[in-house]
Amino acid sequence: MRDVYLENVEAHGANFRGVDLTSSYLRNSKFTAAKFEGAILLNVDLSKADLFRVNLDDAMLDGSNLTQAKIRNATANRVSLVLANLEGSDITCTRMKDASLMQASLEGAKLVRINLSNSNLTGANLSEVDLTEAKLHSANLRDVSLVNSFLDGANFQNADLSNADLTEARMLGTFLSGARLNNATLIRAKLRRSQMRRANLSYAKLNGAEMWETFCRFAILHGADLRGVSLDGADFEGADLSESKLQQVNMQRTNLMAANLTKADLRKANLVGADLSDANLKDTKLQRAKLGGAKLLAANLENSCFDRACLNRADLSDANLKGASFIKAEMNRVNLDGATLTNANLSGAILYGSTMLGAYCDEANFSGAKLARAYLSYARLTGANFQDTDLVSSELVHLDWEKTAVKGTMFGGLQRLTKTEKIDLKDRGAVFLDASEYTDSMTTEYEQACQHRAAREDFDERLNNLENTYRRSNDAFERYQIYQSNRDDNGALLDEKAIVAWQTVKTSQRESLRQAREYGDSLDYDRFAQNVDEFAEKLRGIHRIIEQLSEYRKYYEQLWSSANTTPPIESSDNPINSEASQSEIAESIG
């Protein structure tokens, strides 16, 4: 029965078991409840066919055309659809367990509640498909494309999605426990509240993905790219995030207990209220990260970098901080009781009211740090550097100052130092303030801290405004250049003076923005404020040039609209050639 032509045929309940219909034309036919078990349907055209409740168990449809076919509520276990075309088809609620759909095209297909457990879809095109509540347990989906697909509530437990492309896929509440997503692309994917327990996402690309409240306990994300991802309230307990890229991620209230973050990049990450107890953060980058109120009890932070980070009220009790760097970090009221700070660098750090009871601070560097009202009793300070450190009103009971550097260190208040200790410390360059001096000193330090915080917030806001203005003005001229480049040969008559003026101001503008960032990084707010004023003036000059270019464009449009008219380059009517315009440009550049 090969090469059968049965277009628009109605064969309800027909029996085609074991029949060979290779290369047949069955377009638009109706086979409701028909039986095709074991049938050979290679290269068959079943486009727009109605296959409602058909039985396709063990059938072979390799290379067949089933575009826009209706295969709802069908049974197709072990069916072979290799290289088949199912674009736009409706396969809702169909059972296709152990099916073979390698390199099949299902773009735009509706696969709601389909059962594809243990099926092989290697290399298939599933872009923009609807797999809502589908079952793909242990399915092989290597190298598949699921771009812009709907996967809400789908079950991918133990499925293989290695190298899959899930860009902008919607996966709300999707079940991915034990799934393999090595090297998968999930850029801007929506994974909110998904279950990813023990899933493997090594080297996966998750830039800009939404992952808040996801359950990722014991998942593997080694080397994954999570930059700009929102992980608010997610659960990563015991997960492997080693060497992952987590710059600027939002991990507020995230559970990272016992997680492995070795050599991870968490610069500027938001970890406020996160739980990192017993986590391994050895050699981790945390510059400018926010860890206010975070829990790092017994965490391993050896050789990690927290420079300029904010750790106010964080709990680092019993943590391993050997060789860690906290240069100019904000650590007010931090709990460091029992922590190991051997060879740690806390120079310039702010530790007002922090506790370090029984901490191991051998060879630690506290030079220039603010430790007023801190608690250091029973800490070990062998070889520690306290030069120019503020220890006013700190509790310093049972401390051995013999091998410490205390030149310029400020003491004062009820610190329970013995008379012998005071004499020894003074002889070694320490400074003891009387009651009025240390009260004034602490008041001044507090005011400076408040000013510092306010200045930082002001800097962030103003720098953001500058960058937005820079982008807007740059985009405006780029649009003008595109307009000019699309003109005819007369477009070359654009006045060179305007181009030179723009490039000069643009270079100056970029330099101003770079300097603003540098001043902000060095906390030199006076220079930053001055730079803002200069930058604002340059921007006003830029807008004047854009206005001049706009007038210039209108001038040439009028000339071009006149037939057989060649616009003069040096015409006195040219607005950009007027003395007033040139002085405007010179003023904006200067």
Side-chain angles (χ1 to χ4, degrees), residues 385-391 401-402 404-411 420-433:
N385 181 4
F386 284 92
Q387 292 188 35
D388 301 314
T389 302
D390 183 356
L391 287 165
W401 297 94
E402 184 177 353
T404 58
V406 293
K407 185 177 180 180
T409 305
M410 289 190 292
F411 292 88
T420 304
E421 285 178 326
K422 288 182 180 179
I423 293 171
D424 177 57
L425 290 168
K426 283 183 179 179
D427 291 342
R428 290 160 57 194
V431 178
F432 282 81
L433 308 177

mmCIF file of all heavy atoms in Angstrom, residues 385-391 401-402 404-411 420-433:
data_model
loop_
_atom_site.group_PDB
_atom_site.id
_atom_site.type_symbol
_atom_site.label_atom_id
_atom_site.label_comp_id
_atom_site.label_asym_id
_atom_site.label_seq_id
_atom_site.Cartn_x
_atom_site.Cartn_y
_atom_site.Cartn_z
ATOM 1 N N ASN A 385 49.095 44.184 64.046
ATOM 2 C CA ASN A 385 49.452 45.587 63.771
ATOM 3 C C ASN A 385 48.255 46.483 64.070
ATOM 4 O O ASN A 385 47.237 46.425 63.379
ATOM 5 C CB ASN A 385 49.887 45.739 62.308
ATOM 6 C CG ASN A 385 50.296 47.171 61.971
ATOM 7 O OD1 ASN A 385 50.332 48.043 62.836
ATOM 8 N ND2 ASN A 385 50.610 47.411 60.713
ATOM 9 N N PHE A 386 48.404 47.320 65.117
ATOM 10 C CA PHE A 386 47.335 48.248 65.506
ATOM 11 C C PHE A 386 47.760 49.701 65.312
ATOM 12 O O PHE A 386 47.217 50.594 65.948
ATOM 13 C CB PHE A 386 46.949 48.017 66.976
ATOM 14 C CG PHE A 386 46.104 46.788 67.201
ATOM 15 C CD1 PHE A 386 46.711 45.577 67.508
ATOM 16 C CD2 PHE A 386 44.735 46.846 67.109
ATOM 17 C CE1 PHE A 386 45.935 44.445 67.731
ATOM 18 C CE2 PHE A 386 43.953 45.718 67.323
ATOM 19 C CZ PHE A 386 44.555 44.500 67.627
ATOM 20 N N GLN A 387 48.692 49.964 64.439
ATOM 21 C CA GLN A 387 49.157 51.335 64.255
ATOM 22 C C GLN A 387 48.026 52.237 63.772
ATOM 23 O O GLN A 387 47.294 51.896 62.846
ATOM 24 C CB GLN A 387 50.314 51.372 63.247
ATOM 25 C CG GLN A 387 51.591 50.708 63.774
ATOM 26 C CD GLN A 387 52.764 50.929 62.840
ATOM 27 O OE1 GLN A 387 52.874 51.977 62.219
ATOM 28 N NE2 GLN A 387 53.643 49.943 62.742
ATOM 29 N N ASP A 388 47.897 53.391 64.452
ATOM 30 C CA ASP A 388 46.888 54.407 64.117
ATOM 31 C C ASP A 388 45.463 53.873 64.202
ATOM 32 O O ASP A 388 44.538 54.404 63.568
ATOM 33 C CB ASP A 388 47.126 54.967 62.702
ATOM 34 C CG ASP A 388 48.498 55.607 62.564
ATOM 35 O OD1 ASP A 388 48.874 56.378 63.469
ATOM 36 O OD2 ASP A 388 49.194 55.323 61.574
ATOM 37 N N THR A 389 45.263 52.822 64.990
ATOM 38 C CA THR A 389 43.932 52.247 65.169
ATOM 39 C C THR A 389 43.187 52.963 66.298
ATOM 40 O O THR A 389 43.778 53.367 67.290
ATOM 41 C CB THR A 389 44.040 50.742 65.489
ATOM 42 O OG1 THR A 389 44.729 50.097 64.422
ATOM 43 C CG2 THR A 389 42.669 50.103 65.649
ATOM 44 N N ASP A 390 41.888 53.111 66.153
ATOM 45 C CA ASP A 390 41.047 53.743 67.167
ATOM 46 C C ASP A 390 40.449 52.653 68.051
ATOM 47 O O ASP A 390 39.585 51.893 67.614
ATOM 48 C CB ASP A 390 39.938 54.546 66.485
ATOM 49 C CG ASP A 390 39.063 55.297 67.481
ATOM 50 O OD1 ASP A 390 39.282 55.124 68.695
ATOM 51 O OD2 ASP A 390 38.168 56.042 67.043
ATOM 52 N N LEU A 391 40.928 52.586 69.300
ATOM 53 C CA LEU A 391 40.434 51.595 70.255
ATOM 54 C C LEU A 391 39.756 52.275 71.449
ATOM 55 O O LEU A 391 39.653 51.700 72.529
ATOM 56 C CB LEU A 391 41.586 50.715 70.747
ATOM 57 C CG LEU A 391 42.142 49.690 69.746
ATOM 58 C CD1 LEU A 391 43.478 49.147 70.201
ATOM 59 C CD2 LEU A 391 41.151 48.556 69.541
ATOM 60 N N TRP A 401 49.858 42.537 74.776
ATOM 61 C CA TRP A 401 50.256 43.562 73.812
ATOM 62 C C TRP A 401 51.755 43.523 73.499
ATOM 63 O O TRP A 401 52.247 44.368 72.752
ATOM 64 C CB TRP A 401 49.920 44.961 74.362
ATOM 65 C CG TRP A 401 48.458 45.184 74.566
ATOM 66 C CD1 TRP A 401 47.751 44.999 75.716
ATOM 67 C CD2 TRP A 401 47.513 45.604 73.585
ATOM 68 N NE1 TRP A 401 46.422 45.283 75.526
ATOM 69 C CE2 TRP A 401 46.249 45.671 74.205
ATOM 70 C CE3 TRP A 401 47.602 45.932 72.233
ATOM 71 C CZ2 TRP A 401 45.101 46.041 73.543
ATOM 72 C CZ3 TRP A 401 46.453 46.319 71.585
ATOM 73 C CH2 TRP A 401 45.221 46.370 72.224
ATOM 74 N N GLU A 402 52.448 42.551 74.031
ATOM 75 C CA GLU A 402 53.918 42.557 73.978
ATOM 76 C C GLU A 402 54.466 42.582 72.549
ATOM 77 O O GLU A 402 55.386 43.329 72.230
ATOM 78 C CB GLU A 402 54.477 41.340 74.725
ATOM 79 C CG GLU A 402 55.996 41.330 74.800
ATOM 80 C CD GLU A 402 56.532 40.154 75.608
ATOM 81 O OE1 GLU A 402 55.738 39.418 76.218
ATOM 82 O OE2 GLU A 402 57.764 39.975 75.612
ATOM 83 N N THR A 404 52.827 43.362 69.715
ATOM 84 C CA THR A 404 51.953 44.083 68.783
ATOM 85 C C THR A 404 52.541 45.452 68.447
ATOM 86 O O THR A 404 53.300 46.026 69.223
ATOM 87 C CB THR A 404 50.546 44.279 69.381
ATOM 88 O OG1 THR A 404 50.680 44.983 70.617
ATOM 89 C CG2 THR A 404 49.862 42.960 69.614
ATOM 90 N N ALA A 405 52.162 45.996 67.280
ATOM 91 C CA ALA A 405 52.580 47.346 66.869
ATOM 92 C C ALA A 405 51.459 48.311 67.247
ATOM 93 O O ALA A 405 50.336 48.181 66.769
ATOM 94 C CB ALA A 405 52.837 47.392 65.378
ATOM 95 N N VAL A 406 51.760 49.275 68.133
ATOM 96 C CA VAL A 406 50.720 50.174 68.647
ATOM 97 C C VAL A 406 51.067 51.646 68.462
ATOM 98 O O VAL A 406 50.468 52.511 69.095
ATOM 99 C CB VAL A 406 50.447 49.892 70.143
ATOM 100 C CG1 VAL A 406 49.827 48.518 70.334
ATOM 101 C CG2 VAL A 406 51.725 50.024 70.957
ATOM 102 N N LYS A 407 51.979 51.960 67.592
ATOM 103 C CA LYS A 407 52.347 53.358 67.380
ATOM 104 C C LYS A 407 51.155 54.131 66.808
ATOM 105 O O LYS A 407 50.577 53.775 65.784
ATOM 106 C CB LYS A 407 53.522 53.452 66.409
ATOM 107 C CG LYS A 407 54.046 54.875 66.236
ATOM 108 C CD LYS A 407 55.258 54.916 65.323
ATOM 109 C CE LYS A 407 55.767 56.348 65.159
ATOM 110 N NZ LYS A 407 56.950 56.412 64.271
ATOM 111 N N GLY A 408 50.774 55.191 67.516
ATOM 112 C CA GLY A 408 49.658 56.025 67.072
ATOM 113 C C GLY A 408 48.296 55.463 67.427
ATOM 114 O O GLY A 408 47.271 56.082 67.110
ATOM 115 N N THR A 409 48.246 54.305 68.106
ATOM 116 C CA THR A 409 46.970 53.712 68.505
ATOM 117 C C THR A 409 46.317 54.569 69.579
ATOM 118 O O THR A 409 46.966 54.998 70.533
ATOM 119 C CB THR A 409 47.178 52.285 69.026
ATOM 120 O OG1 THR A 409 47.852 51.521 68.033
ATOM 121 C CG2 THR A 409 45.849 51.623 69.361
ATOM 122 N N MET A 410 45.014 54.822 69.441
ATOM 123 C CA MET A 410 44.299 55.661 70.400
ATOM 124 C C MET A 410 43.558 54.799 71.412
ATOM 125 O O MET A 410 42.753 53.941 71.036
ATOM 126 C CB MET A 410 43.318 56.576 69.678
ATOM 127 C CG MET A 410 43.958 57.689 68.884
ATOM 128 S SD MET A 410 42.756 58.889 68.297
ATOM 129 C CE MET A 410 41.854 57.896 67.114
ATOM 130 N N PHE A 411 43.861 55.047 72.702
ATOM 131 C CA PHE A 411 43.173 54.385 73.800
ATOM 132 C C PHE A 411 42.411 55.435 74.590
ATOM 133 O O PHE A 411 42.731 56.615 74.571
ATOM 134 C CB PHE A 411 44.168 53.680 74.722
ATOM 135 C CG PHE A 411 44.851 52.484 74.098
ATOM 136 C CD1 PHE A 411 46.027 52.647 73.374
ATOM 137 C CD2 PHE A 411 44.329 51.210 74.248
ATOM 138 C CE1 PHE A 411 46.665 51.557 72.796
ATOM 139 C CE2 PHE A 411 44.963 50.122 73.670
ATOM 140 C CZ PHE A 411 46.130 50.285 72.947
ATOM 141 N N THR A 420 50.720 48.938 84.461
ATOM 142 C CA THR A 420 51.922 48.496 83.743
ATOM 143 C C THR A 420 51.680 48.477 82.235
ATOM 144 O O THR A 420 52.535 48.901 81.447
ATOM 145 C CB THR A 420 52.328 47.085 84.208
ATOM 146 O OG1 THR A 420 52.502 47.092 85.631
ATOM 147 C CG2 THR A 420 53.611 46.643 83.535
ATOM 148 N N GLU A 421 50.487 48.004 81.815
ATOM 149 C CA GLU A 421 50.153 47.952 80.389
ATOM 150 C C GLU A 421 50.112 49.353 79.789
ATOM 151 O O GLU A 421 50.608 49.589 78.689
ATOM 152 C CB GLU A 421 48.811 47.252 80.192
ATOM 153 C CG GLU A 421 48.866 45.740 80.369
ATOM 154 C CD GLU A 421 47.505 45.084 80.207
ATOM 155 O OE1 GLU A 421 46.497 45.707 80.593
ATOM 156 O OE2 GLU A 421 47.460 43.945 79.706
ATOM 157 N N LYS A 422 49.504 50.293 80.537
ATOM 158 C CA LYS A 422 49.415 51.658 80.033
ATOM 159 C C LYS A 422 50.793 52.271 79.831
ATOM 160 O O LYS A 422 51.061 52.911 78.808
ATOM 161 C CB LYS A 422 48.602 52.515 81.001
ATOM 162 C CG LYS A 422 47.118 52.203 81.003
ATOM 163 C CD LYS A 422 46.366 53.138 81.948
ATOM 164 C CE LYS A 422 44.872 52.833 81.942
ATOM 165 N NZ LYS A 422 44.127 53.723 82.864
ATOM 166 N N ILE A 423 51.687 52.073 80.830
ATOM 167 C CA ILE A 423 53.044 52.631 80.725
ATOM 168 C C ILE A 423 53.768 52.032 79.523
ATOM 169 O O ILE A 423 54.415 52.734 78.740
ATOM 170 C CB ILE A 423 53.830 52.363 82.030
ATOM 171 C CG1 ILE A 423 53.202 53.158 83.192
ATOM 172 C CG2 ILE A 423 55.298 52.747 81.856
ATOM 173 C CD1 ILE A 423 53.772 52.792 84.547
ATOM 174 N N ASP A 424 53.641 50.702 79.377
ATOM 175 C CA ASP A 424 54.314 50.022 78.261
ATOM 176 C C ASP A 424 53.782 50.505 76.913
ATOM 177 O O ASP A 424 54.558 50.756 75.981
ATOM 178 C CB ASP A 424 54.110 48.512 78.400
ATOM 179 C CG ASP A 424 54.719 47.749 77.237
ATOM 180 O OD1 ASP A 424 55.938 47.888 76.996
ATOM 181 O OD2 ASP A 424 53.959 47.046 76.527
ATOM 182 N N LEU A 425 52.461 50.651 76.795
ATOM 183 C CA LEU A 425 51.857 51.081 75.535
ATOM 184 C C LEU A 425 52.246 52.512 75.184
ATOM 185 O O LEU A 425 52.480 52.846 74.023
ATOM 186 C CB LEU A 425 50.336 50.946 75.605
ATOM 187 C CG LEU A 425 49.791 49.495 75.632
ATOM 188 C CD1 LEU A 425 48.320 49.480 76.000
ATOM 189 C CD2 LEU A 425 50.001 48.825 74.277
ATOM 190 N N LYS A 426 52.290 53.392 76.194
ATOM 191 C CA LYS A 426 52.706 54.774 75.963
ATOM 192 C C LYS A 426 54.151 54.839 75.473
ATOM 193 O O LYS A 426 54.488 55.603 74.561
ATOM 194 C CB LYS A 426 52.560 55.595 77.236
ATOM 195 C CG LYS A 426 51.126 56.005 77.549
ATOM 196 C CD LYS A 426 51.071 56.875 78.799
ATOM 197 C CE LYS A 426 49.643 57.311 79.095
ATOM 198 N NZ LYS A 426 49.563 58.145 80.317
ATOM 199 N N ASP A 427 55.010 54.009 76.100
ATOM 200 C CA ASP A 427 56.420 53.985 75.702
ATOM 201 C C ASP A 427 56.593 53.532 74.254
ATOM 202 O O ASP A 427 57.579 53.882 73.600
ATOM 203 C CB ASP A 427 57.211 53.054 76.634
ATOM 204 C CG ASP A 427 57.337 53.618 78.051
ATOM 205 O OD1 ASP A 427 57.128 54.836 78.212
ATOM 206 O OD2 ASP A 427 57.624 52.832 78.976
ATOM 207 N N ARG A 428 55.637 52.783 73.760
ATOM 208 C CA ARG A 428 55.734 52.254 72.391
ATOM 209 C C ARG A 428 54.949 53.091 71.381
ATOM 210 O O ARG A 428 54.747 52.683 70.248
ATOM 211 C CB ARG A 428 55.224 50.812 72.359
ATOM 212 C CG ARG A 428 56.188 49.847 73.079
ATOM 213 C CD ARG A 428 55.521 48.556 73.483
ATOM 214 N NE ARG A 428 54.941 47.874 72.326
ATOM 215 C CZ ARG A 428 54.074 46.869 72.432
ATOM 216 N NH1 ARG A 428 53.677 46.469 73.635
ATOM 217 N NH2 ARG A 428 53.610 46.290 71.354
ATOM 218 N N GLY A 429 54.517 54.284 71.818
ATOM 219 C CA GLY A 429 53.910 55.224 70.873
ATOM 220 C C GLY A 429 52.403 55.301 70.897
ATOM 221 O O GLY A 429 51.805 56.010 70.075
ATOM 222 N N ALA A 430 51.730 54.572 71.802
ATOM 223 C CA ALA A 430 50.279 54.640 71.889
ATOM 224 C C ALA A 430 49.841 55.979 72.458
ATOM 225 O O ALA A 430 50.589 56.637 73.188
ATOM 226 C CB ALA A 430 49.737 53.504 72.739
ATOM 227 N N VAL A 431 48.620 56.371 72.131
ATOM 228 C CA VAL A 431 48.079 57.655 72.585
ATOM 229 C C VAL A 431 46.880 57.388 73.479
ATOM 230 O O VAL A 431 45.958 56.657 73.095
ATOM 231 C CB VAL A 431 47.643 58.535 71.387
ATOM 232 C CG1 VAL A 431 47.032 59.843 71.867
ATOM 233 C CG2 VAL A 431 48.813 58.781 70.464
ATOM 234 N N PHE A 432 46.893 58.005 74.687
ATOM 235 C CA PHE A 432 45.779 57.860 75.626
ATOM 236 C C PHE A 432 45.046 59.184 75.734
ATOM 237 O O PHE A 432 45.631 60.210 76.092
ATOM 238 C CB PHE A 432 46.286 57.407 77.006
ATOM 239 C CG PHE A 432 46.594 55.943 77.071
ATOM 240 C CD1 PHE A 432 47.810 55.459 76.591
ATOM 241 C CD2 PHE A 432 45.675 55.039 77.578
ATOM 242 C CE1 PHE A 432 48.100 54.102 76.633
ATOM 243 C CE2 PHE A 432 45.959 53.684 77.627
ATOM 244 C CZ PHE A 432 47.171 53.215 77.149
ATOM 245 N N LEU A 433 43.757 59.175 75.410
ATOM 246 C CA LEU A 433 42.949 60.384 75.437
ATOM 247 C C LEU A 433 42.227 60.502 76.767
ATOM 248 O O LEU A 433 41.832 59.499 77.373
ATOM 249 C CB LEU A 433 41.919 60.360 74.318
ATOM 250 C CG LEU A 433 42.432 60.083 72.894
ATOM 251 C CD1 LEU A 433 41.260 60.015 71.934
ATOM 252 C CD2 LEU A 433 43.408 61.155 72.450
#
